[in-house]
Amino acid sequence: AQAWLSSPLEKGRLHMSAIQIQCLLLLARHNNAVGDDLVWIAAGTLLRVAFAMGFHRDPKHLPRMSILQAEMRRRLWMTILELNLQFLLDAGHVLLLSVEDFDTEPPLHVDDTDLSEDSTIAPLSKPMSAFTGTSLQLRLYSSFPARMKINNTLNGFKKEPSYDEVLHLSSNLSKACKDNNTFIS
C-alpha cells in the first residue's frame, strides 16, 4: 500500500478510496512502529491531498452528491483532522491549520445502516446521548479546538504561555474529558 501511494501521484488516484487507504496505512504504521517517528509527515501529506480534493469544504458547497457520499466525506475529513492532531502531538510539532481553514460540518449522528446510496433525504441525527457509529468521532471532534490549542501551545516556541492561559486550556480539556467520560461510562 505504501509503495502504491508513494508512486508518482496521478490525478486519477485522487479519490475517496485512496484517502481511506492512506488513513488505514497511517494507523498501521503508527500502531506497528513502522517509521513511527515520521508518520506525522505522511499525515501532513494526507491533509494536503484532502485539501486538494476539497474535503475541507462542506459538501453543501460542492457539486451535488449523494447523502452517503457527503457523509463519507465529512467522516473522512474528521478522521484526517484527528490523525494529524494525534501524530503531531506525538512528534512535538504544531498543527499548521486552524478551525478557520475549513467549513466541513461534523457528520450526522447516525448509524451506518441509516445511510444508503439511494437515500434522497438525510436522516435525522440522533440525540448525543444515544450511541451511534459516529458517536466517538463526534465526541473527539467536540474537543478538537481545545486539543489543537493545547498542542500548539505546548509545541510552539515563540512565546511561553501564561499561567492563566495554561489554567484556561486545562479547564477546557478537563470539561471535554468529563463530558466524554460520562457518555462512555
Side-chain angles (χ1 to χ4, degrees):
Q2 181 67 52
W4 180 77
L5 287 171
S6 298
S7 64
L9 191 64
E10 296 179 16
K11 200 168 188 173
R13 219 178 275 153
L14 294 178
H15 45 79
M16 197 172 305
S17 59
I19 294 284
Q20 292 169 321
I21 291 168
Q22 284 181 292
C23 289
L24 291 171
L25 182 60
L26 286 172
L27 286 170
R29 285 180 59 190
H30 179 71
N31 291 338
N32 293 297
V34 177
D36 196 29
D37 55 337
L38 299 178
V39 166
W40 66 275
I41 294 173
T45 301
L46 171 61
L47 182 66
R48 283 162 189 77
V49 169
F51 263 97
M53 293 176 62
F55 277 76
H56 66 295
R57 298 301 319 267
D58 193 75
K60 68 183 176 192
H61 302 296
L62 300 174
R64 186 143 172 81
M65 65 182 70
S66 73
I67 292 167
L68 178 63
Q69 287 294 105
E71 281 305 299
M72 286 179 63
R73 288 177 67 91
R74 288 182 180 115
R75 290 177 183 193
L76 272 173
W77 177 249
M78 296 304 144
T79 299
I80 292 164
L81 291 178
E82 188 63 35
L83 290 174
N84 270 272
L85 184 59
Q86 287 299 315
F87 297 149
L88 285 168
L89 185 60
D90 290 349
H93 295 285
V94 296
L95 183 60
L96 302 175
L97 176 79
S98 77
V99 292
E100 284 79 38
D101 294 329
F102 60 91
D103 64 5
T104 303
E105 295 175 3
L108 294 172
H109 190 229
V110 297
D111 285 309
D112 294 348
T113 56
D114 296 332
L115 299 167
S116 76
E117 193 63 50
D118 302 328
S119 298
T120 56
I121 299 172
L124 293 176
S125 281
K126 295 181 179 173
M128 284 305 287
S129 58
F131 188 82
T132 70
T134 56
S135 291
L136 296 179
Q137 187 175 41
L138 290 169
R139 293 283 174 172
L140 281 171
Y141 181 69
S142 70
S143 66
F144 182 79
R147 292 181 299 125
M148 181 176 64
K149 179 72 174 154
I150 289 169
N151 177 65
N152 290 350
T153 300
L154 286 173
N155 296 314
F157 60 90
K158 291 222 174 187
K159 75 171 193 142
E160 188 74 23
S162 70
Y163 181 71
D164 288 338
E165 184 179 1
V166 170
L167 285 178
H168 177 71
L169 293 171
S170 174
S171 174
N172 287 346
L173 185 61
S174 293
K175 181 185 178 325
C177 287
K178 182 180 176 189
D179 292 346
N180 291 339
N181 190 37
T182 301
F183 174 75
I184 292 170
S185 299

